[in-house]
Amino acid sequence: MSDSRQHVRPEKETSGELSPEFATAPMGLAREPLITGYRGLEWISDEATRFNEGGAPSWWRAGLLVALSLLVLGVVIVAYLVTTGVGVWGVSHPVMWGWATINFVWWIGIGHAGTLISAILFLLRQQWRTAVNRVAEAMTIFAVLCAALFPIIHVGRVWYIWWLLPIPTSNAVWPQFHSPLMWDVFAIGTYLTVSILFWYLGLMPDLALMRDRARRPVSRFFYGLLCLGWTGSQRQWHHYEKAYLIIAGLATALVVSVHSIVALDFAATQLPGWHSTIFPPYFVAGAMFSGFGMVLTLIIPIRSLCGLENLITKRHIDLICKVTLATGSIVAYAFVVEACHAWFGGKPYERFMIWNRVVGPYWWAFFVAVACNFLVPQAFWFRKVRLNLRAVWVLSILINVGMWMERFVIVVGSLHRDFVPSNWSYYRPTWVDVCTFAGSFGLFFTFFLLFLRYLPVVAVSELKSIASACVWGCSSTSDGPDTRR
Amino acid sequence: MKVVPEESLPTGDGMPCSGLGHGLGHVGGVCSSDGQYETPDPVTRREFMRVMSASLLLGGIGLSGCRRPVEKAVPFSRLPEGYLHGVPEYFATSMPFRETAIPLLVKSYEGRPIKIEANVEHPDKPSNGDDEAGRIGTTHHAQAAILSLYDPDRATRFTYKGVAVSREEAMSMLKQTGVKFAGLNGKGLSFLLERSGSPSRARLLRIARERFPEARFFVHEPVDFDVHRKAATLLFGVPVRPVYRLEHARRILSIDCDFLGMEEDAHRMIAGFARGRNPRLPRHTMNRVYMVESLFTLTGANADHRLSIPPSRIVLMTMLLFGELGRQIGWARLGSESAGLESALMGRIAGLPDALRGWATACVEDLVEAGSGAVVLAGHRQPVLVHMLAHTMNVVLGSIDHAVKYIEWPESEESPITELAAELNRGGVDTLVILGGNPVYSAPADLDWARTQRKAGTVIRLGEYEDETFPVCDLHLPRAHFLESWGDGVTGDGTVVPVQPLIAPLFGGLTELEVLARLCGLATTNPYDIVRDTLRGIVTEGDFEARWHKFLRDGYLEDSSSKSAGSVKPDLRRIAEAVRSVNPAPEHSEGRGTYEVVIAPDYRLDDGRHANNGWLQELPDPITKITWDNVIVVGPRTAAQLNLRMPSGAMGDYSVPVVRVDVNGRSIDGPVWVLPGVAENTIGLSLGYGRSAAGRVGNGVGYNAYSVRVSKALFIAGGAAIAKTDRMHSVACTQWQSSSEGRAVVREAAHEEYLAKAKLAKGSIVGGSQAKGALYQNPLDRLAETASYQWGMAIDLSLCVGCGACIVACQSENNVPVVGKAEVLRRREMHWMRVDRYYVESLEAARVVWQPMLCQHCEAAPCESVCPVNATSHNDEGLNVMAYNRCVGTRYCSNNCPFKVRRFNYFDYHRRALSGPGIKGQNSSSIARTDFLRWLTRMGPEARPKSELDMLRLLMNPDVTVRMRGVMEKCTFCVQRIEQAKTAGKTRAVSAGGATVPDGAFQTACQQACPAGAIVFGNIKTPRSRVSEAMADPRAYRVLEHLNLRQRVAYLARITNPNPRMLDKSSAETNTPMLDVIRSDGNHEQPQLR
């Protein structure tokens, strides 16, 4: 990493007027810069923390109000659920898993993009990650929290959920290690822990920045507390970067493992539509796809609302769109492969399941899923679309809807017509299902809005590390640390 | 069992305190010195324990000792001799059901009856000597009776003009009534009775007739089986009635006789039918059933050949069959008067279409071929003529004393209710005594019974519920449930059986005998003594006490079955007369429509008497699989004419159109159900629903078909019109999927094919199966080698008639809750055992197969590997066991169960109030809201009033955990019974050495209840056990065998027995077996029923 990282506290004198060379960077053959309108390192700090340091804007207050209301609704609904029974949901016989499971898989999928952007792109030295990784990581943590909520509350006796933990001394019984749900406990637990660590580690220099910039003693105290005495010494940077690299390595494995294990929840059963070896890679790809979709959904409004247009540029959006297209294609491929398996496998139950997806009672869910996951990302082939932020935002929401529907198709679409025809039934959610889902959004956005306001939204110190590269990148096409692709 | 002799008890006002309940009440100090009786309403725990302890004492001492009448009841602090805590006791009793009774053995725990079982020692059971002793089971009604016993909605008080009075006042009113009418010679006194075969009641009625010579006796039975006796008596000129022994029948022709379903003695009929149906019988004398009917009944669904014709045609069809018989065997053989009959018949049936003629010819040929092995049955809905023709056919075929015999049966001396109505309208009834029944609800609509009954000066009524008839009664006496009563009855063959109380009347009810005795002013008003006195009259030789005790212990009186009438001779002139008087044209002229209506008792609620029984309300109808509703059934063509669009339950649309049926000048609205198999132009209505005062469970469920039922057309009416209304009605159906989608979950073959091929199903599965191509040895296999037992079950689909007795038996044994209509609409019913119904071939063919489906106890159970907390696991005896306490409710196991036999307790169903919106409401969330509000207000889950919960607790089987909500549950193979049998085996074998449980030493609840004996359970490790033999049968297969689950439940493919000469287009496909693993590729394009 470059030395500029050390300049946690930029010198006052460099702020203000820009040197003309920065203002008029030769565009020509140059790649688009990752930071536009670069005016020096302190300018980056100013830009990045502007939203934290100014007064809270009204949209933020309104948003928080809405999110809090949803959160309160969620709390009330969960209380209702626990006191009354999971029967308040639409889960029935034979569809014993409904929206809760769908939401769980959906949220956990969203929780993928953050670590992917942070860890994998970090290892791959994709510098564009620096502007969006903080948001994505925060999104990950909050999404995983939402995701973890659902398997907990969906059980019949939530007060005994701790029986899933391996605490033999107090339980006298081990959990059943054959069960994929058991693996979920470990996978999600680990993923959440590592994601938080990774996020927090990345935050530390920026927290120190916040501490140093803080005007009020209270803020200074808390930021100081949180940054664990970060001074930005060479020694600290040395350790920091080592740690960051190690955790990035760990997190990369987890990105793959956590959703593979969630996929095993389904693949380890023998239900047609679940029992498929393609599920782990399919789910991981789907998770990245939906995660990037959600990153787009969040980042596009944030960059304008928080005034981060210079740091999170259209180029970032463009790149995210490309990743989304790539992962979306893998998902589409898995769709096709699944159908081919059913076709060539010659298993009548599998064939029926695929056919039932297309023309069965839930055909609409299937078509929404196909349209949103297969057709919608095709628009990202076009640069014009990728650079049209409104369009991207709408498409990203469609991708989120599509991925939710895709999980619906898998969970409900497979369960409602299984082996023995007498069991066949139809699943319908209740208002409680809807409110629980809404409540999880409340949880997510409450945390997310608080994050936006109180923590640096972009990784300031990392941005600074590419700032010089950006300057160079503006003038040259091939040299410099910006080794994109 | 003994009771307190009332004379020995001090009474306050000189009124004898009688009856077990009251005697006990006195012991407990409820009957105060001034004679005031405080009705225990509702029964509190304390009250119950008090009554119970006394009852236990009586029960314990009385039955184990039976030495002397107990004079004093002392607290249950001294253990009665032979009584062991925690060990259930069994008492033989019987369930009176119209004229006959079902012999039962009732399991009692610490003085509370908890489970009803068949009295397998009863002598009247099918046995044709080539198998071990025959067996009988019970019906779903008998199984469910235990719930009615603990029904908190039963009448709990004595009332006079709606105001509660003391028991003594009520008794004194009864006595005064008796005294008053004794003086008047009974003038102005009328009795309205139910049918009953009780010898004691018959004796008391004789006494009553002597005491009140001018009193009149009427009988009202909404669904009356007396026509069997009436027709036989009329035809043969001697008082007889037919008894069918279907085990001796090889060819059965049923003319609208639902002998497997709603006819009398169904449990016995099914047993006989199954015995003759068994393809494993060495002689392969499998029976063949021909059915002529209008509705689609259980019998029709089990028939090999079924002719579905409108009701008006059935009489003609019977004549045609009779004429065909005459033609084939020669009219001359019928006797000298046959010429007149022949000419009369031939004139009537001349115009019948060829299709019917062809059917009749082939059918009769088959019957004639079988000769004495053929039997013809006529259903209770049919007029006397049809019965007479059927009886005559039996005589001609020579089946008398084979498959049918005529036994002496007293003639009914009571007049029908129509005459009582006339009498009431004339003002000739001063006092009307109604013993049982609910005429305001069930009397023909044209009698306007509520108003008519009011014309009596005083109405005294003994009723089990404060029901529709209650408001128009003056003196209302609560009636004791049969499990609380002393009484007697006769089974179908005339064997006298006792009705023994298992418990003191919970609500202080009276029995019919008691009321009659009091009215007659008898010195003996104690029903126990009345029954003893009656038996004294029957048992004329030997030591009475010894025989009495044997009678109670065995549950039947030896050698008391009715005498066979011997050879009978039909009076053909009577038939000819009747034939001439038949109007050949359907009676369409009466009404404005052209449809015909058939009114049938509902399969579950019968005539409405079981309306407040949640188990029966939630028992799916065997054909439609509908719960909590009755529907108006029409055939598909009628539906097309009416342009009825039925919802596809598969798409989550559960509301069906409501139609209006106009018949007999009245109209009724009800949800319509398109049922393939129902005759064209025919509308089926079912009785028993639409109750307004049945109790909290039964009120407002379904439509009331009695409101269009008139005395002239009790079962069949012409001239009906049907029209669609705008309204829709949600129907809670447990199985919308009608076809098996080409999946070989049920397998079936025609008999010829079975004989031709040695193995129908793929491979025999005896002795546990070897996993095919398994990489790793199942560690449980090692355990299985060392264990003494490996439990397994075989279900013979050939024998299963789909009656559903097993469902209720399982519910009773395993404390399975009732979930209510709203939850059934969500498919959350909790039955551990269900009976899946599939239409075979096509819907039009209207052939149905059933498959009892329960936990298959897979050796490689998919549910076990996915449970994260080890709540479900395998034991070394091959049981897939469930630790409810360990379950956290992830429901993962259910998702991975290919049979979906695991049931999840979504709410605390046991704790829900009967009156809550959950039971009948259609909105599940409203129930949940109510639960939540209750929880909020009480800070506890007790949604059910305490009194109700207390009653419910009495019902629960203490051997089985009562599961709370949030827990997955499923069939355990009645593990509690297995363990009890093992314990008993060990106890016995302490000296003998080996402690193995002999085959058949115990039965699972479903097996015990099954009247057909279709379920066999036992140790598959023993090669000679019945279950091993069943699994070795070439028909044995496992469902979804390709999943390699190695289930412990094997099914034996269903074998049908169609007549090869009748393989016309409708039954040609009958022979196409569904034997391959998958016949089609999960073809979704199978015709959808709805």
Side-chain angles (χ1 to χ4, degrees), chain B residues 174 189-194 201 218-220 417 420 424 429 431-440 442 449 452-454 456 458-464 467 469-470 472-477 479 511-512 515-516 519:
Chain B
L174 266 186
L189 178 65
S190 286
F191 287 87
L192 181 61
L193 309 164
E194 283 183 299
R201 197 189 84 166
F218 302 90
V219 69
H220 171 56
I417 192 170
L420 174 58
L424 281 165
V429 180
T431 296
L432 174 64
V433 179
I434 304 175
L435 297 177
N438 183 9
V440 169
S442 64
W449 194 257
T452 311
Q453 182 175 314
R454 249 321 15 139
T458 311
V459 178
I460 300 173
R461 188 213 182 201
L462 176 70
E464 207 162 328
D467 50 18
T469 311
F470 174 75
V472 282
C473 294
D474 298 306
L475 178 61
H476 196 273
L477 315 164
R479 185 181 189 174
T511 65
E512 201 180 4
V515 176
L516 273 174
L519 278 173

Side-chain angles (χ1 to χ4, degrees), chain A residues 89 176 179 265 355 418 422, chain B residues 743 828 836 864 866 892 1084:
Chain A
W89 282 343
Q176 223 261 82
S179 171
D265 283 350
W355 194 236
D418 65 336
S422 74
Chain B
R743 300 176 175 192
R828 289 176 181 166
D836 291 345
E864 289 169 11
V866 297
Y892 199 4
H1084 73 288

Side-chain angles (χ1 to χ4, degrees), chain A residues 82-83 87 89 91-93 96-97 154 156-157 176 179 265 270 352 355 417-419 422-424 428 430, chain B residues 650 652 743 826-828 834 836 862 864 866-868 870 885 887-892 896 900 965 1084:
Chain A
V82 171
T83 54
W89 282 343
V91 277
S92 64
H93 189 96
M96 290 257 176
W97 283 356
H154 103 293
R157 303 200 293 174
Q176 223 261 82
S179 171
D265 283 350
Q270 47 190 353
F352 172 82
W355 194 236
R417 289 187 171 184
D418 65 336
F419 292 101
S422 74
N423 296 319
W424 293 3
R428 209 171 255 174
T430 63
Chain B
R743 300 176 175 192
R826 285 207 173 280
R827 296 291 307 275
R828 289 176 181 166
R834 56 174 207 258
D836 291 345
E864 289 169 11
V866 297
C867 174
N870 259 329
N885 286 352
C887 178
V888 297
T890 65
R891 306 186 294 287
Y892 199 4
N896 204 20
K900 294 284 177 288
R965 76 167 158 92
H1084 73 288

Side-chain angles (χ1 to χ4, degrees), chain A residues 158-175:
Chain A
V158 67
W159 46 94
Y160 290 134
I161 192 73
W162 57 279
W163 286 354
L164 269 78
L165 300 175
I167 322 173
T169 44
S170 50
N171 273 353
V173 186
W174 283 102

Side-chain angles (χ1 to χ4, degrees), chain B residues 109-423:
Chain B
Y109 258 107
E110 325 238 310
R112 56 189 177 91
I114 54 141
K115 176 77 177 64
I116 289 177
E117 312 228 308
N119 184 0
V120 288
E121 288 180 18
H122 191 272
D124 182 26
K125 55 193 169 187
S127 172
N128 44 10
D130 50 9
D131 205 336
E132 85 283 8
R135 58 160 289 128
I136 46 170
T138 52
T139 61
H140 55 297
H141 289 139
Q143 287 295 336
I146 198 103
L147 183 65
S148 297
L149 168 68
Y150 296 112
D151 184 352
D153 289 348
R154 277 166 54 200
T156 57
R157 52 186 189 154
F158 294 83
T159 59
Y160 184 69
K161 296 196 185 292
V163 182
V165 293
S166 73
R167 183 189 175 94
E168 281 60 42
E169 280 175 273
M171 293 300 116
S172 117
M173 279 184 229
L174 266 186
K175 190 178 180 183
Q176 281 158 15
T177 309
V179 170
K180 175 182 156 195
F181 283 101
L184 292 167
N185 270 344
K187 191 168 173 53
L189 178 65
S190 286
F191 287 87
L192 181 61
L193 309 164
E194 283 183 299
R195 292 264 176 227
S196 163
S198 163
S200 289
R201 197 189 84 166
R203 184 173 68 84
L204 290 184
L205 282 181
R206 278 198 298 278
I207 294 172
R209 281 176 210 278
E210 278 164 26
R211 192 170 192 222
F212 314 113
E214 288 185 41
R216 296 203 55 190
F217 294 81
F218 302 90
V219 69
H220 171 56
E221 194 65 69
V223 179
D224 199 348
F225 298 134
D226 191 49
V227 64
H228 293 286
R229 180 205 56 81
K230 198 170 147 194
T233 305
L234 200 65
L235 182 69
F236 299 125
V238 282
V240 292
R241 56 168 253 172
V243 186
Y244 298 99
R245 293 291 168 260
L246 296 181
E247 61 271 23
H248 302 302
R250 288 193 292 126
R251 301 291 178 261
I252 300 166
L253 168 61
S254 163
I255 299 163
D256 200 19
C257 180
D258 184 15
F259 57 86
L260 300 177
M262 290 311 291
E263 284 284 343
E264 206 163 24
D265 272 345
H267 69 290
R268 178 64 183 75
M269 293 291 224
I270 296 173
F273 169 77
R275 175 50 62 102
R277 192 74 176 170
N278 194 344
R280 290 169 66 200
L281 284 182
R283 278 183 282 134
H284 301 300
T285 51
M286 188 175 173
N287 63 27
R288 177 177 297 156
V289 181
Y290 296 90
M291 181 80 180
V292 180
E293 65 175 350
S294 312
L295 299 181
F296 193 33
T297 62
L298 203 59
T299 313
N302 279 291
D304 298 292
H305 293 282
R306 185 170 164 277
L307 186 66
S308 177
I309 48 175
S312 60
R313 285 279 176 107
I314 288 184
V315 180
L316 291 177
M317 186 65 200
T318 315
M319 290 185 202
L320 176 62
L321 286 160
F322 190 91
E324 192 61 38
L325 180 68
R327 189 182 65 76
Q328 287 189 18
I329 65 160
W331 284 97
R333 271 181 62 188
L334 265 64
S336 50
E337 290 112 9
S338 62
L341 179 56
E342 183 186 359
S343 62
L345 268 182
M346 288 306 165
R348 290 293 177 216
I349 60 182
L352 285 177
D354 286 344
L356 293 186
R357 286 180 182 280
W359 199 90
T361 308
C363 170
V364 171
E365 266 173 21
D366 204 24
L367 294 181
V368 170
E369 213 168 275
S372 64
V375 63
V376 185
L377 297 94
H380 72 269
R381 279 190 284 274
Q382 293 303 318
V384 170
L385 170 61
V386 171
H387 286 259
M388 291 200 294
L389 288 170
H391 292 319
T392 312
M393 285 169 90
N394 285 331
V395 172
V396 172
L397 288 164
S399 42
I400 308 298
D401 287 335
H402 289 92
V404 58
K405 67 176 179 179
Y406 292 92
I407 58 170
E408 291 176 0
W409 203 263
E411 283 198 65
S412 167
E413 293 170 47
E414 291 83 24
S415 320
I417 192 170
T418 40
E419 286 183 31
L420 174 58
E423 188 79 17

